[in-house]
Amino acid sequence: MRLDVLTLFPDLFTPFLNESIVGRAVRRGLVDIRLTNIRSFARGPHHTTDDRPYGGGDGMVMKPGPIFRALQSIERIGEKRRVILLTPQGIRFEQSVAWELSRMDQLVLICGRYEGVDERIRKGYVDLEISIGDYVLTGGELPAMIVADAVTRLIPGVLGGENSNLEDSFEEGLLEYPHYTRPRIFQNEEVPEVLLSGDHEKIRKWRRAESIRRTFQKRPDLLEKKELNREDKELLAEIRKELTEAGVEKNGKTTPLAK
Ligand code: ADE
């Protein structure tokens, strides 16, 4: 997969591209990530990349020329290619979008700054607009890294265990079960007995129940969308009963910071 990033701040990407799983994928040639500095395509003595908005108002708008020329300079790789603008106005980035993008030959990510990019770029050259959530950042660089990260780890061969990304949260429409590693007792808290039992079927069932419990408590919206099989339905009924008896409400918190 080839990933091109158009940005005014290429240095922001340096540690991201060199460290950890993405760094290793780059070194192994599983993903070819190229940075293009939009400023290199600006003209005039000051290499200006932004200007005041027509019609007045606050903030600055990224000029279309430098982005257009930067786009033109990018080598075309393969047939399946998408030009993506990172913007709070885009479709919400989710795991299903990451999967679709991971099947492309080339992604070109445009990082906006200031109040936005000139509308003629969006209309004429962008295939898809992506938002990473309903909040406003100072630019599209962090969102571009998020998209690049989520997509890279889905490329075959990037993760060690071939199945490790199929078990992730969201792949199955459920949150993940709790994980434990050594030591067996930490600060007086023991690892659940079932995980030490060696009984694979019992462990599978326990993990499934915990996934459903977590999803029911933390993300009931996911559970509503999911088709449950008979075993899942039985587990959910048991969990509901347990929680009702224990007087625990799902989603009891009204705001994220409420205790
Ligand atoms: N640029 C600024 N905020 C953004 C967001 N939430 N998603 C994508 N791009 C952005």
Side-chain angles (χ1 to χ4, degrees):
M1 142 102 47
R2 162 83 173 239
L3 238 153
D4 285 274
V5 182
L6 271 63
T7 171
L8 284 168
F9 300 97
D11 290 348
L12 285 177
F13 291 81
T14 311
F16 169 69
L17 294 179
N18 289 319
E19 303 286 337
S20 188
I21 294 174
V22 172
R24 198 182 61 192
V26 169
R27 285 190 293 279
R28 289 165 65 202
L30 296 168
V31 59
D32 182 3
I33 305 182
R34 310 277 180 109
L35 300 168
T36 297
N37 191 340
I38 297 169
R39 195 170 301 281
S40 315
F41 295 88
R43 290 186 175 150
H46 302 296
H47 294 280
T48 318
T49 54
D50 62 326
D51 207 338
R52 287 168 307 171
Y54 274 117
D58 288 338
M60 299 290 267
V61 178
M62 284 177 79
K63 291 161 72 66
I67 300 178
F68 171 75
R69 289 187 290 276
L71 274 174
Q72 297 292 305
S73 78
I74 288 170
E75 188 187 355
R76 299 180 81 91
I77 308 283
E79 297 281 303
K80 291 180 278 173
R81 185 174 189 268
R82 293 287 183 278
V83 176
I84 297 168
L85 176 66
L86 284 313
T87 158
Q89 297 178 15
I91 60 156
R92 179 73 68 89
F93 189 59
E94 290 185 351
Q95 193 64 16
S96 55
V97 179
W99 271 115
E100 274 193 54
L101 297 182
S102 75
R103 296 185 191 107
M104 296 287 143
D105 300 315
Q106 183 178 27
L107 301 176
V108 180
L109 304 178
I110 306 176
C111 306
R113 280 264 148 181
Y114 314 109
E115 295 302 296
V117 307
D118 188 287
E119 182 67 6
R120 289 161 292 187
I121 289 293
R122 196 189 63 75
K123 271 200 199 137
Y125 305 97
V126 169
D127 302 311
L128 179 65
E129 294 167 78
I130 288 183
S131 162
I132 58 159
D134 287 343
Y135 39 83
V136 182
L137 302 169
T138 55
E141 281 76 11
L142 288 170
M145 283 185 241
I146 286 170
V147 170
D149 188 288
V151 169
T152 297
R153 64 188 289 288
L154 299 179
I155 295 170
V158 168
L159 293 187
E162 276 310 304
N163 292 325
S164 36
N165 54 31
L166 298 177
E167 286 181 17
D168 293 337
S169 287
F170 305 115
E171 290 306 353
E172 258 244 89
L174 293 176
L175 300 184
E176 267 191 76
Y177 51 77
H179 301 284
Y180 292 89
T181 186
R182 283 183 290 188
R184 195 164 71 78
I185 303 173
F186 175 72
Q187 305 272 302
N188 279 334
E189 276 275 336
E190 282 201 45
V191 172
E193 200 61 38
V194 57
L195 297 178
L196 311 171
S197 69
D199 183 335
H200 296 302
E201 177 56 17
K202 244 166 105 180
I203 294 172
R204 185 196 65 76
K205 235 178 147 166
W206 180 85
R207 286 181 165 164
R208 189 77 186 171
E210 291 307 306
S211 271
I212 293 175
R213 183 198 307 280
R214 287 198 157 177
T215 313
F216 176 66
Q217 286 191 286
K218 298 184 186 196
R219 292 291 306 273
D221 57 309
L222 292 178
L223 220 44
E224 274 152 29
K225 280 189 248 167
K226 186 171 166 58
E227 271 195 37
L228 298 176
N229 63 26
R230 223 181 73 190
E231 186 190 19
D232 291 342
K233 281 184 191 154
E234 283 169 14
L235 288 170
L236 180 59
E238 266 173 49
I239 291 163
R240 279 202 149 119
K241 200 166 143 237
E242 257 175 48
L243 292 174
T244 315
E245 279 168 8
V248 180
E249 278 176 52
K250 69 173 178 182
N251 266 354
K253 296 177 186 171
T254 48
T255 71
L257 298 181
K259 283 231 173 181

